[in-house]
Amino acid sequence: MSCKDVRCRLSEYVDGELDTFTRAQVLSHLYACEDCRRELHYLEQTVSLLKGVEAVSPPADIVGRVRTRIAGESKRADSRGVWYFLSTPQFRAAAAACLVLGICTYGLIHFDAADPASQADKLAVVVPPAESLDQAAPRDAGSVSTVRDGRVSTSDGLKADEPVRPLASAAPVAAESTAHTMARAAEGKVGDVTHVDKMQPQTVAKSKDRISAVEKPDEPGGVALANRKTTAGPRAARQQDTATVRIADANSGAGLEELAAEKRPAAVAPASAAAMEAQADADKMRGASVAGAEELAFASKKTRGDEPSPKKDEPAAESAASAKLASGRPAARERAEVSSVGQRTGLYEGNEYRELERKQTAPRREAVARGTSQERGADDGLDSFVGRHRLVSVVASNDIAMRGVVKALEAFDRRPNRDSKGALKADASNTGGLGSAAGGQGSAGFTIRIRRGEYPGFVAELRKVGSVSERVMSLNAEDEPRAPVDTGRAGIASSGTVQITVELLDE
Amino acid sequence: MKDGVVVAGTGAVDPDGEEFARRFRAGDDKAFDGLVRAYQSRMYNLAFRILHSHEDADEATQEVFVQAYKAIGDFEGRCKFGTWLYTVAVNICRNRLRQTKRRAQFEVHSLDAPSDVSAPPPEAVTSKQDGPPARLERAELMKLVEKCIASLPAEFAEVVVMRDMQGMSYEEVAVAVGCSLGTVKSRIARGREAVKEKLRPYLGSREI
């Protein structure tokens, strides 16, 4: 053992903490090394001095002062009471958690109430021609309320004066909406029949906010559908103190006219407001296109940027145009139909005001009505896609198919190898969800309506993922795309048949 | 000095203090007073050797007992109550020392104020007398030892005080400072070595 090793152990040696073997080694070294013996002696003297250090006297009455301090702290803790409780970390953590939860809940509720996209697809007013009333079976609606001669009857047995039962969050709006519908029926100017989808009360309420239309100026007496939109939301629906009405004279090309700007107080009775809107609907049934100035301006700015300036001082011309349309239009073209389940947005192309419509089937609508975020996500994706690519319409058999459509089309959209025209290219790998859209051994799918030649190669790509049938249609075709029959969505499987109908609008 | 229970600064953790602790844990509130009397001197001396201030040591001692009173429920009896109390004391002293150093960093020192540089070093104090250190009076030598202890870093001073001045075992010191036994042995050895080197001029063959 070296001197360094021994001196490292001298402290323990002094305290008798070394084990027997190490102690023997140290002793052996000390016996032979005088320097280490001297260091040991110095260390023993140092330890002796340290142990001899006199203790300092503590202050007197530490016991009493400690007692006083303990009593003071206890009293202070008691006097703090509620504030002390509020200042505890546990309470702060709980309060923070509650705050976050409350904000999230409010955000979800507010989102549901204010998001026009999530509400617009619950549109639910159908006004078919009188002669087609009997055929107006609820094609894709859950049930239909029929207003005839001021009486309301429903396909599922609701009584005439039974208001559509509102959801808790939309009760005032729903009540007003019901009153609105009843008032329109009572006016007797709505036409023979008004179908009111009773899917959800707030759906009916929102139907006042957005009604889309297609104007077909190239045909005499072409359909002029209403496009009226106010600021979405229950509040706007209740405080509709300005009614702006426009008429699009398709035949004369006079453009959109502002029929009237009628100021109404905010406190007007709902029935009164409804009666005024019923008048507007009556005009619509006569062939006039009733459109909200806000909507038209919004739509035209959004799509083209050069909005046709409304002429505010031509009421006579527009009245004449209305009369002309009302008198000369075939019954089928008088149909001012707004899908009960679709969302329509206006789009100007050249001189045409064309609608982009999305429809879905009843199961999907129910899913949307439940308001699942997944469905909203699908809606957003499809809306975004339709808006970007100017698809005319997409109709799916069920919600699974709709999600598949969204997923597939979004996959198309993300592909880097789009051609110069922005045409969509697809392959089987990026159409996940289409196979499962059919489900089981059944079949389901979607119908997509596009302009012929708009997306070269798109149909060929679609053939890779499903059974595609093409149909060339006139640009002015009035029948609406229908989804393939949903014959099996019992399970999620890829063995089902995906029916894809491509309707090519011949330009 | 005596505090009625144990001779402060010399004895190990005494059985009387453990008895008070047992009674206090059993719910005898008056036993707490005996507990304070049993340990006040040791707690005060430990705090004074670490904090180098009577006021701070007084505050720290009171805080040790107040904390012990409030946290007696946390004492699980795995070690002696005295050892647990030393743990509380070491933590409180370390915190106070940290606060003191932090305050000192922001203190504004006057250039006109007398500097510690002018103060004679411990060696000078001892060497001004009759030359040879061996003639140093024992009282002066003990003051020198105290200065040597005060000059030690806190982690060495606390273990030296607990071991050499208060007679705690290596194991008890290890529990009190929250270190391993090897670390405690090393710190004690290094602390003693530092004191020894400062006392070397006054150590010799003579008996101390």
Side-chain angles (χ1 to χ4, degrees):
Chain A
M1 185 175 282
S2 65
C3 291
K4 184 180 178 182
D5 295 335
V6 169
R7 291 181 186 183
C8 287
R9 289 170 171 82
L10 284 182
S11 178
E12 294 177 69
Y13 175 82
V14 170
D15 288 332
E17 293 287 331
L18 289 176
D19 59 87
T20 306
F21 179 74
T22 307
R23 183 178 177 82
Q25 286 184 313
V26 170
L27 276 174
S28 174
H29 181 86
L30 288 174
Y31 183 78
C33 182
E34 185 179 354
D35 290 342
C36 288
R37 279 204 306 273
R38 186 171 56 251
E39 290 301 318
L40 173 63
H41 182 61
Y42 286 168
L43 183 62
E44 287 175 337
Q45 286 184 324
T46 301
V47 172
S48 176
L49 287 172
L50 287 171
K51 288 183 177 177
V53 173
E54 204 167 319
V56 291
S57 300
D61 196 24
I62 284 188
V63 176
R65 286 186 292 149
V66 168
R67 279 290 185 185
T68 304
R69 195 165 164 175
I70 291 172
E73 291 197 2
S74 300
K75 191 178 296 181
R76 201 160 50 242
D78 293 339
S79 64
R80 279 179 291 189
V82 174
W83 292 112
Y84 176 74
F85 171 73
L86 295 179
S87 65
T88 56
Q90 293 84 353
F91 177 81
R92 289 178 180 175
C98 290
L99 183 63
V100 170
L101 189 62
I103 290 174
C104 292
T105 304
Y106 175 79
L108 287 174
I109 295 173
H110 188 68
F111 176 78
D112 283 339
D115 183 14
S118 66
Q119 295 169 353
D121 56 359
K122 300 166 185 173
L123 201 58
V125 176
V126 179
V127 185
E131 59 271 24
S132 63
L133 172 63
D134 295 336
Q135 289 79 25
R139 170 169 47 90
D140 52 4
S143 62
V144 172
S145 298
T146 304
V147 182
R148 184 192 296 275
D149 296 333
R151 297 177 57 197
V152 177
S153 62
T154 61
S155 63
D156 59 350
L158 277 179
K159 295 179 180 179
D161 55 350
E162 182 177 352
V164 180
R165 189 169 301 281
L167 289 180
S169 60
V173 181
E176 181 190 1
S177 175
T178 305
H180 162 77
T181 305
M182 297 290 287
R184 287 202 303 182
E187 282 285 324
K189 299 177 181 178
V190 186
D192 292 331
V193 173
T194 299
H195 280 194
V196 180
D197 186 285
K198 81 160 193 71
M199 180 187 66
Q200 292 294 346
Q202 71 271 38
T203 298
V204 181
K206 301 303 177 295
S207 68
K208 296 199 313 180
D209 298 338
R210 182 175 296 189
I211 302 175
S212 306
V214 172
E215 175 190 354
K216 294 181 170 55
D218 53 346
E219 292 186 12
V223 176
L225 302 184
N227 189 334
R228 180 183 68 231
K229 177 186 180 183
T230 63
T231 303
R235 185 176 178 182
R238 285 194 297 271
Q239 299 180 352
Q240 202 172 26
D241 56 352
T242 301
T244 302
V245 184
R246 288 181 177 177
I247 291 179
D249 188 343
N251 294 323
S252 64
L256 300 170
E257 303 295 334
E258 181 170 315
L259 178 61
E262 186 175 357
K263 196 75 176 178
R264 284 182 285 179
V268 67
S272 173
M276 300 182 76
E277 293 200 15
Q279 178 62 46
D281 286 343
D283 293 339
K284 178 179 67 180
M285 289 305 296
R286 287 194 300 271
S289 175
V290 182
E294 298 171 3
E295 170 67 12
L296 290 177
F298 171 77
S300 58
K301 283 181 181 177
K302 186 177 179 181
T303 56
R304 198 178 61 175
D306 51 348
E307 171 187 15
S309 59
K311 302 174 183 178
K312 297 183 179 180
D313 51 355
E314 296 182 2
E318 71 180 8
S319 298
S322 298
K324 184 177 181 180
L325 288 170
S327 60
R329 180 166 296 120
R333 300 202 171 201
E334 278 191 346
R335 186 178 62 176
E337 177 174 341
V338 180
S339 167
S340 63
V341 293
Q343 175 182 354
R344 299 174 185 227
T345 57
L347 176 67
Y348 265 105
E349 288 184 354
N351 294 326
E352 298 178 355
Y353 182 67
R354 187 167 299 176
E355 70 171 344
L356 299 177
E357 178 187 21
R358 175 171 57 80
K359 300 175 79 68
Q360 64 267 5
T361 55
R364 167 171 168 73
R365 186 184 62 224
E366 292 169 359
V368 172
R370 286 196 298 271
T372 62
S373 59
Q374 187 177 11
E375 289 297 328
R376 282 199 298 271
D379 292 345
D380 295 342
L382 187 59
D383 291 344
S384 173
F385 184 84
V386 169
R388 281 197 305 275
H389 297 285
R390 303 193 308 171
L391 298 178
V392 175
S393 61
V394 178
V395 181
S397 298
N398 51 47
D399 54 339
I400 300 176
M402 185 60 76
R403 283 199 295 270
V405 171
V406 173
K407 188 174 179 181
L409 298 184
E410 289 293 334
F412 292 145
D413 196 30
R414 287 194 299 269
R415 285 178 62 81
N417 57 344
R418 294 178 359 175
D419 62 17
S420 57
K421 289 186 176 181
L424 304 173
K425 288 182 178 295
D427 58 32
S429 63
N430 61 9
T431 55
L434 288 181
S436 62
Q441 299 298 320
S443 66
F446 61 90
T447 298
I448 183 166
R449 180 176 290 185
I450 61 177
R451 292 172 183 80
R452 192 177 189 185
E454 185 103 11
Y455 300 112
F458 182 44
V459 176
E461 297 294 338
L462 287 178
R463 291 187 190 282
K464 299 177 181 178
V465 298
S467 174
V468 177
S469 59
E470 291 183 69
R471 186 159 77 101
V472 178
M473 306 173 63
S474 169
L475 178 64
N476 300 317
E478 296 192 358
D479 63 324
E480 296 179 354
R482 295 176 181 270
V485 177
D486 180 8
T487 61
R489 54 190 300 270
I492 304 299
S494 58
S495 58
T497 303
V498 179
Q499 303 282 350
I500 302 173
T501 302
V502 180
E503 296 180 348
L504 302 170
L505 292 182
D506 193 359
E507 295 180 300
Chain B
M1 62 160 285
K2 293 178 182 290
D3 57 7
V5 177
V6 68
V7 178
T10 57
V13 177
D14 65 300
D16 288 344
E18 294 300 315
E19 175 62 19
F20 283 127
R22 188 193 61 77
R23 285 167 49 191
F24 178 59
R25 290 181 62 197
D28 184 3
D29 193 66
K30 290 184 178 179
F32 182 73
D33 294 346
L35 205 57
V36 175
R37 291 191 190 93
Y39 289 100
Q40 63 178 353
S41 180
R42 277 171 283 185
M43 295 299 111
Y44 183 83
N45 273 274
L46 176 65
F48 177 74
R49 297 302 175 191
I50 296 175
L51 301 174
H52 317 303
S53 163
H54 287 285
E55 293 180 358
D56 288 344
D58 186 19
E59 287 289 323
T61 303
Q62 293 181 49
E63 191 175 349
V64 167
F65 289 112
V66 171
Q67 290 289 333
Y69 185 89
K70 292 193 293 188
I72 189 63
D74 298 337
F75 176 54
E76 300 175 348
R78 294 179 181 175
C79 61
K80 291 180 180 178
F81 176 80
T83 307
W84 179 75
L85 198 61
Y86 270 101
T87 306
V88 176
V90 166
N91 289 329
I92 288 175
C93 289
R94 287 176 179 174
N95 290 337
R96 293 187 73 90
L97 188 64
R98 204 174 298 124
Q99 294 170 1
T100 303
K101 288 182 178 177
R102 198 176 300 131
R103 279 199 302 267
Q105 290 178 349
F106 294 98
E107 282 182 355
V108 179
H109 295 280
S110 172
L111 295 176
D112 298 330
S115 171
D116 289 340
V117 177
S118 60
E123 292 79 5
V125 172
T126 60
S127 60
K128 68 181 180 181
Q129 301 290 335
D130 302 329
R135 298 180 192 173
L136 207 62
E137 294 294 331
R138 179 174 177 85
E140 293 177 348
L141 187 60
M142 296 313 294
K143 286 184 180 177
L144 181 60
V145 173
E146 290 185 25
K147 288 184 178 179
C148 291
I149 296 172
S151 66
L152 291 175
E155 62 266 30
F156 297 104
E158 62 191 18
V159 294
V160 168
V161 168
M162 280 189 272
R163 172 62 190 173
D164 291 334
M165 297 177 63
Q166 303 194 352
M168 295 172 64
S169 68
Y170 278 59
E171 289 77 9
E172 289 173 340
V173 174
V175 172
V177 299
C179 295
S180 67
L181 189 60
T183 302
V184 169
K185 287 180 179 178
S186 172
R187 286 183 181 179
I188 290 174
R190 292 172 63 186
R192 285 173 173 173
E193 186 69 20
V195 174
K196 186 186 76 175
E197 290 303 314
K198 291 191 176 184
L199 294 177
R200 182 177 289 275
Y202 313 104
L203 302 176
S205 57
R206 74 184 180 95
E207 292 295 327
I208 295 180

